[in-house]
Amino acid sequence: GFSMGGGMAMHLAYRFHQDLAGVFALSSFLNKDSAVYEALKRNGGVLPELFQCHGTADELVLYSWGEETNKMLKSLGVSTSLHTFPNLNHELNRTEIEELKTWILKKLPIEAEKSNE
């Protein structure tokens, strides 16, 4: 999800649907006292991978908030990747979408890839 949609995606995945293959959060963050962190402290299973992107010039959702979210989730056992986009504000760019597409295609089962050809 993008912005608040990314926050919602992280909440749903890490609190209620830990059987997902992955979660993406673009220009998103979790509050410092998020219920997600509390849920992960009690978790003992395998967690969905997080693909996260954030622009350094984002004035609506600060880059530092996304970076802090990433570090916190990683410390709680989530396999994360944070892709940083210099000078990108609270928006998407082509490179970000292409990296996301590549990540999604790696996550999809082989059958899904064959139907896209």
Side-chain angles (χ1 to χ4, degrees):
F2 177 78
S3 192
M4 290 181 72
M8 185 186 317
M10 290 185 281
H11 269 275
L12 288 171
Y14 297 119
R15 293 179 65 202
F16 306 111
H17 294 285
Q18 295 180 353
D19 58 341
L20 295 173
V23 179
F24 67 87
L26 313 175
S27 299
S28 304
F29 77 107
L30 294 171
N31 292 322
K32 290 182 181 185
D33 61 350
S34 174
V36 171
Y37 302 141
E38 292 305 313
L40 290 176
K41 288 176 185 174
R42 296 185 301 272
N43 179 66
V46 177
L47 298 165
E49 180 182 343
L50 175 64
F51 178 92
Q52 193 176 1
C53 296
H54 215 113
T56 60
D58 194 332
E59 295 176 354
L60 186 60
V61 177
L62 301 181
Y63 176 79
S64 61
W65 298 352
E67 188 177 41
E68 183 177 325
T69 296
N70 188 278
K71 288 177 183 176
M72 196 59 183
L73 290 172
K74 188 175 284 191
S75 77
L76 293 168
V78 177
S79 174
T80 68
S81 61
L82 175 59
H83 304 260
T84 302
F85 292 86
N87 304 314
L88 185 67
N89 205 325
H90 195 67
E91 58 191 334
L92 303 172
N93 71 16
R94 183 177 197 89
T95 305
E96 182 177 15
I97 297 301
E98 288 172 355
E99 287 184 22
L100 175 59
K101 177 184 174 185
T102 299
W103 180 79
I104 290 172
L105 290 175
K106 286 180 184 175
K107 291 286 171 195
L108 292 176
I110 293 172
E111 297 80 35
E113 288 180 22
K114 289 180 182 175
S115 67
N116 285 333
E117 292 178 355

